[in-house]
């Protein structure tokens, strides 16, 4: 009896060795309300479908935490095979040669159709012409508005959401209401000093760029950058907006508390914002300035350089699977992020989603027509904090816009030189 | 707080009773088992604290960028840059502002609370627990909650101020008020811990002194001035050293509530170090900052020892 059991065990062990499973780790950084449960479920479904690969989905914390853990893992020579990195964090790993170019894997895979991915999304993965990642959960900022408040001041919430800077300035003070002390209690809009993809948006809309065309100097202190800062001040002077220190969550209680008619936030939060609002809430495209422009946020999937040939292949299979037409559609419908394939928009899942929540379409239209990648430099997070400080100087400390931006650019240029060596 | 502790007494009496050789053998055995007990913690500390701490000195002499696999030896360049880095000196200024305001406030409050709660107060356990509660709460969780309390339009503090007829304060929105806001939070959060240390110190003062002073006709203030305060000197010294070391390393609250802003008004040294290490990834330079910080703290502790510690009497 005992002998039989031992034999059985031996046979089973032999079988599992013969099937040669490849085990890979997948580090993701989606919050509970931003698709984490579904991501876990995806990895289980993938494992059930594949006998040859086991993908362990591991939550690595918010975007910033994931970067720190991944840096430690890379430095220790033991990174996960698949890594989810926020838009601005990928370039540091490319710079350190810690992630793999996907060109080889893609060109040797006849099943994979890269042209199904919208070009603006692929641009977020392309550094010096080489593709390093596959988009997974991209987003763009959209304008949320309080329809009740629009009606209250005699505006049409469907047609009167500003489409240009001038319209914003013009309708803005309709919403201004003051308390007994003469302080601005209610207003059209808020200007948080972070996150800086908002500055990216305004800068792009003013016709400016962060880097010059050669990519060897920062130029967001030129007339376009200054124009943004001056327009912000104009909005404040005219009681259209008030500034806020810190992240947008500092402004959202004002929006949800009925003190602010409009706010800007990622389309990823579409569902939760609609649930949170106790008033008739709407969403609209981001307005335009000299031109239309929105930055692309969210995260992408990378394969790490250190992984073995088998792990790379397994990682690629996983990424292909999780960004398949059906799966990306399911993920987009469950969150507010964009599906990464054009074919996904034709699926039943997405059709139902658009029917139920027409506002979910906005981000696709913005992204296809004027979505742009964030600046893809390895030290972008530091430049971001320079931009935040510059915004604080202008919005909260009455300092000269030109000087504030010059100081930010000087530090950004210094880092450009540090990394050029 | 006694230097004159139990072990010394035991060995002194032992020496008189037993032959010397046996005592020293026993002592050897004792220190061996003590070492064995220290070993597990020692290995962990050595690997994860001391070794990296020593490596920081080496890193500070390189131009290492966090995950780039290569770096160059640059000598003292990083330290030279430190000397002229305006942002570093701004963070030094902010740190001193924070330490000089929060340490005395916490010591004064902790001592007052301890004095108040050392006597026969009704529901003393309740009050002690209440004042100690913030200490056990997570710094990050507390910071997130206080961020809302400080919110300019929907926050509790401004609501109270407005009720009382005052003008609302912009708190974290303003470069004048952000640091005071952080100090208030830290004082609220940290005082309870030092209160408990003071309470223990108070319990340690022999009652006879007070009785004797009473008989001599000492008033309440005299009791504090000539008995409590001098007898608490070792406690105060400990609290001061702990506070100075802790306060210079303030980080979490800045990271969560202000991100160093507005306009770097709350950017303290450790936060600046973090930004250099994990935002621009200049690990070599960040290491130089932490070495400078380390040297400063060691100097400060030695100075405290020389100028304050030497005056502290442990005799009872």
């Amino acid at each position: 009896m005992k002998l039989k059991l031992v034999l059985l065990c031996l046979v089973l062990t032999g079988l599992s060795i013969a099937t040669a499973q490849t085990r890979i780790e997948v580090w993701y950084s989606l919050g509970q309300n931003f698709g984490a449960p579904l991501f876990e479920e995806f990895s289980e479904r993938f494992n059930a479908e594949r006998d040859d690969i086991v993908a362990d989905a591991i939550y690595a914390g918010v975007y910033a935490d994931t970067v720190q853990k991944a840096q430690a893992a890379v430095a220790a020579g033991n990174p996960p095979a698949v890594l989810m990195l926020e838009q601005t964090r990928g370039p540091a790993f490319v710079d350190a040669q810690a992630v793999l170019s996907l060109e080889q894997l893609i060109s040797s895979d006849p099943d994979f159709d890269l042209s199904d991915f919208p070009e603006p999304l692929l641009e977020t993965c392309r550094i010096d012409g080489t593709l390093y990642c596959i988009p997974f959960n991209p987003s763009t900022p959209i304008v949320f508005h309080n329809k009740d408040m629009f009606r209250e001041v005699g505006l049409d919430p469907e047609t009167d959401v500003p489409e240009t800077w001038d319209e914003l300035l013009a309708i803005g003070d309709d919403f201004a209401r003051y308390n007994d002390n003469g302080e601005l209690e209610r207003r059209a809009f808020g200007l948080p000093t972070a996150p800086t993809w908002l500055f990216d948006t305004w800068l792009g809309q003013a016709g400016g760029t962060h880097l010059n065309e050669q990519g060897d100097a920062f130029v967001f202190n030129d007339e376009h950058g200054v124009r943004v800062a001056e327009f912000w001040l104009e909005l404040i002077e005219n009681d259209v907006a008030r500034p806020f220190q810190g992240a947008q969550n500092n402004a959202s209680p004002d929006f949800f508390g009925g003190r602010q008619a409009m706010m800007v936030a990622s389309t990823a939060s579409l569902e939760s914002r609609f649930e949170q609002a106790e008033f008739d809430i709407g969403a609209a495209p981001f307005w335009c300035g000299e031109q239309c422009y929105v930055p692309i946020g969210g995260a992408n999937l990378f394969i790490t350089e250190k992984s073995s040939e088998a792990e790379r292949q397994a990682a690629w299979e996983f990424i292909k699977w999780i960004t398949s037409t059906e799966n990306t559609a399911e993920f987009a419908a469950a969150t507010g992020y964009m599906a990464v394939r054009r074919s996904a928009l034709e699926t039943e899942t997405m059709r139902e989603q658009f029917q139920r929540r027409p506002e979910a379409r906005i981000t696709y239209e913005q992204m296809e027509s004027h979505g742009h990648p964030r600046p893809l430099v390895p030290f972008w997070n530091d430049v971001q904090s320079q931009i935040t400080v510059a915004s604080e100087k202008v919005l909260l400390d009455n300092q000269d816009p030109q000087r504030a931006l010059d100081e930010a650019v000087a530090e950004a240029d210094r880092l450009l030189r540090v990394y050029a060596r | 707080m006694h230097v004159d502790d139990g072990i010394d007494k035991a060995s002194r009496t032992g020496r008189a009773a037993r032959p010397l050789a046996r005592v020293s053998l026993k002592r050897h055995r004792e220190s061996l088992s003590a070492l064995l007990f220290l070993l597990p913690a020692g290995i962990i500390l050595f690997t994860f604290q001391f070794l990296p701490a020593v490596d920081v000195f080496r890193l500070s002499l390189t131009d290492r960028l966090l995950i780039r696999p290569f770096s160059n030896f640059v000598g003292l360049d990083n330290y030279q840059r430190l000397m002229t880095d305006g942002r570093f000196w701004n963070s030094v200024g902010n740190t001193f502002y924070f330490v000089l305001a929060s340490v005395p406030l916490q010591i004064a409050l902790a001592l007052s609370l301890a004095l108040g709660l050392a006597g026969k107060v009704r529901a003393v356990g309740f009050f002690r627990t209440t004042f100690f509660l913030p200490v056990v709460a997570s710094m990050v969780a507390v910071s997130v909650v206080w961020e809302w309390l400080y919110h300019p339009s929907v926050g509790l503090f401004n609501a109270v101020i407005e009720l009382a007829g005052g003008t609302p304060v912009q708190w974290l929105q303003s470069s004048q008020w952000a640091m005071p806001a952080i100090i208030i939070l830290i004082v609220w959060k940290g005082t309870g811990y030092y209160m408990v240390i003071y309470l223990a110190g108070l319990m340690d003062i022999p009652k006879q002194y007070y009785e004797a002073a009473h008989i001599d006709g000492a008033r309440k203030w005299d009791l504090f001035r000539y008995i409590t305060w001098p007898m608490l000197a070792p406690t105060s010294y400990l609290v001061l050293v702990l506070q100075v070391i802790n306060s210079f390393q303030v980080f979490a609250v800045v990271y969560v509530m202000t991100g160093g802003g507005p306009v770097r008004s709350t950017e303290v040294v450790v936060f600046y170090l973090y930004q250099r290490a994990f935002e621009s990834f200049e690990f070599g330079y960040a290491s130089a900052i932490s070495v400078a910080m380390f040297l400063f703290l060691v100097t400060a502790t030695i100075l405290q020892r020389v100028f304050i510690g030497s005056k502290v009497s442990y005799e009872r």
Side-chain angles (χ1 to χ4, degrees), chain A residues 365-381:
Chain A
E365 285 154 13
Q366 293 190 145
M367 179 270 292
E368 289 277 6
S369 93
H370 50 266
H372 297 272
R374 312 288 303 280
L376 300 176
V377 293
F379 48 88
W380 182 246
N381 287 297

Side-chain angles (χ1 to χ4, degrees), chain A residues 102-117:
Chain A
L102 300 183
E103 302 286 349
Q104 176 74 40
L105 283 164
I106 290 169
S107 62
S108 59
D109 191 333
D111 306 336
F112 186 75
D113 180 14
L114 193 65
S115 66
D116 194 17
F117 290 76

Side-chain angles (χ1 to χ4, degrees), chain A residues 140-141 197-210 286-296 366 369-375:
Chain A
T140 60
W197 75 331
L198 297 176
F199 178 82
D200 292 8
T201 315
W202 292 94
L203 179 68
Q205 290 178 356
T209 57
H210 290 93
F286 214 125
W287 43 73
C288 303
E290 297 291 312
Q291 59 180 23
C292 293
Y293 185 104
V294 287
I296 295 169
Q366 293 190 145
S369 93
H370 50 266
H372 297 272
R374 312 288 303 280

Side-chain angles (χ1 to χ4, degrees), chain A residues 241-257:
Chain A
R242 71 152 286 172
F244 282 97
Q245 187 271 335
Q248 65 202 110
N249 67 352
N250 235 339
S252 58
D254 282 61
F255 176 71
F256 289 106

Side-chain angles (χ1 to χ4, degrees), chain A residues 5-75:
Chain A
L5 214 73
V6 170
L7 275 175
L8 188 72
C9 284
L10 279 176
V11 169
L12 283 176
T13 323
L15 268 178
S16 65
I17 289 170
T19 50
Q21 281 184 332
T22 308
R23 210 179 180 91
I24 54 166
E25 278 186 15
V26 179
W27 287 9
Y28 73 96
S29 43
L30 303 160
Q32 272 302 314
N33 295 326
F34 292 86
L38 186 54
F39 196 89
E40 294 275 341
E41 198 189 312
F42 272 153
S43 84
E44 278 160 29
R45 269 193 245 162
F46 175 77
N47 293 341
E49 266 180 43
R50 304 286 299 232
D51 308 325
D52 54 337
I53 305 171
V54 180
D56 289 326
I58 295 169
Y59 176 64
V62 297
Y63 289 143
D65 294 346
T66 305
V67 169
Q68 282 171 30
K69 282 180 197 152
Q71 281 164 336
V74 166

Side-chain angles (χ1 to χ4, degrees), chain A residues 31-185:
Chain A
Q32 272 302 314
N33 295 326
F34 292 86
L38 186 54
F39 196 89
E40 294 275 341
E41 198 189 312
F42 272 153
S43 84
E44 278 160 29
R45 269 193 245 162
F46 175 77
N47 293 341
E49 266 180 43
R50 304 286 299 232
D51 308 325
D52 54 337
I53 305 171
V54 180
D56 289 326
I58 295 169
Y59 176 64
V62 297
Y63 289 143
D65 294 346
T66 305
V67 169
Q68 282 171 30
K69 282 180 197 152
Q71 281 164 336
V74 166
N78 189 22
V82 180
L83 198 50
M84 178 185 288
L85 293 172
E86 190 264 339
Q87 301 292 353
T88 63
R89 319 265 180 175
F93 288 82
V94 173
D95 171 80
Q97 296 160 8
V99 288
L100 201 64
S101 152
L102 300 183
E103 302 286 349
Q104 176 74 40
L105 283 164
I106 290 169
S107 62
S108 59
D109 191 333
D111 306 336
F112 186 75
D113 180 14
L114 193 65
S115 66
D116 194 17
F117 290 76
E119 194 52 31
L121 295 186
L122 291 180
E123 279 304 309
T124 68
C125 280
R126 218 170 252 143
I127 293 175
D128 296 331
T130 307
L131 196 78
Y132 285 95
C133 55
I134 296 293
F136 177 72
N137 57 326
S139 61
T140 60
I142 56 175
V143 176
F144 291 87
H145 63 294
N146 182 335
K147 290 186 178 178
D148 290 341
M149 207 186 286
F150 269 70
R151 290 189 198 101
E152 194 189 318
V153 300
L155 291 169
D156 184 337
E158 308 304 328
T159 59
D160 286 343
V161 179
E163 287 171 14
T164 63
W165 288 18
D166 292 339
E167 282 181 28
L168 174 66
L169 195 57
I171 74 152
D173 66 351
D174 292 1
F175 293 98
R177 203 171 65 191
Y178 305 86
N179 66 11
D180 299 339
N181 301 333
E183 284 153 0
L184 185 61
E185 190 180 57

